Amino acid sequence: GAGVSQSPSNKVTEKGKDVELRCDPISGHTALYWYRQSLGQGLEFLIYFQGNSAPDKSGLPSDRFSAERTGGSVSTLTIQRTQQEDSAVYLCASSRGQRETQYFGPGTRLLVL
Amino acid sequence: AQSVSQHNHHVILSEAASLELGCNYSYGGTVNLFWYVQYPGQHLQLLLKYFSGDPLVKGIKGFEAEFIKSKFSFNLRKPSVQWSDTAEYFCAVEAGTYKYIFGTGTRLKVLA
């Protein structure tokens, strides 16, 4: 079947604008993860969904970041009032469950000017 | 705070050389350990994982890793690298119910 898909693949925005990033997990995968990869950094864990619930949102960098998941499938990561330091690659992964192998999407490359 | 250290940021090897990439983590409890690989132009994918049992884990493409609990290490090895192993390698630790901590990655370049 299809893998994890993310859209858009690239996004250029102006400082202060809101952006919405989308993740379509593999069908049937109950767990979904968002990560951020900044230049020269490892993957920074942002948030995890089990079904539609996010048990811990403390990984989100600030209150400008929010995420939701609906129908146990698609997830959106929203960044409000973007700042230049938000520029990064945002990766989504899904798995059959907790501690199962994560399958990563291609990422969304965000550039905030 | 939990962390994962990958000491080698860039490694350059000739084909047929042996490879060992270091990974150390800081967490005193039970951990699950992973190595992921990202080939040029491709998505991150799982190379191997350790949950319990034999501390020597074998993965795809001839890679293996050894969990040494006393050293908090999970080093990745391959006896003889190929040009196609050129990629970025990430060590990761799952130290809670869901939270994964990744290292900063090691870029491996294999010269043909």
Side-chain angles (χ1 to χ4, degrees), chain B residues 5-100:
Chain B
S5 297
Q6 290 183 245
H7 311 296
N8 316 102
H9 299 295
H10 292 89
V11 174
I12 301 175
L13 295 172
S14 298
E15 273 194 317
S18 64
L19 171 72
E20 180 159 2
L21 302 182
C23 173
N24 288 87
Y25 62 92
S26 64
Y27 184 72
T30 302
V31 292
N32 297 311
L33 300 158
F34 307 81
W35 276 97
Y36 281 84
V37 61
Q38 187 167 27
Y39 296 103
Q42 295 187 29
H43 307 174
L44 268 165
Q45 57 185 284
L46 183 70
L47 201 54
L48 49 79
K49 62 185 177 184
Y50 171 80
F51 283 3
S52 62
D54 189 343
L56 185 61
V57 181
K58 294 194 185 298
I60 60 171
K61 304 187 180 185
F63 285 90
E64 63 180 32
E66 185 175 11
F67 170 49
I68 302 179
K69 190 174 180 180
S70 60
K71 294 185 178 179
F72 299 90
S73 70
F74 190 55
N75 292 356
L76 181 70
R77 300 194 294 246
K78 185 170 184 179
S80 175
V81 294
Q82 301 172 311
W83 177 81
S84 58
D85 293 324
T86 294
E88 189 161 16
Y89 294 80
F90 293 89
C91 181
V93 171
E94 189 255 332
T97 54
Y98 53 82
K99 202 165 184 176
Y100 287 74

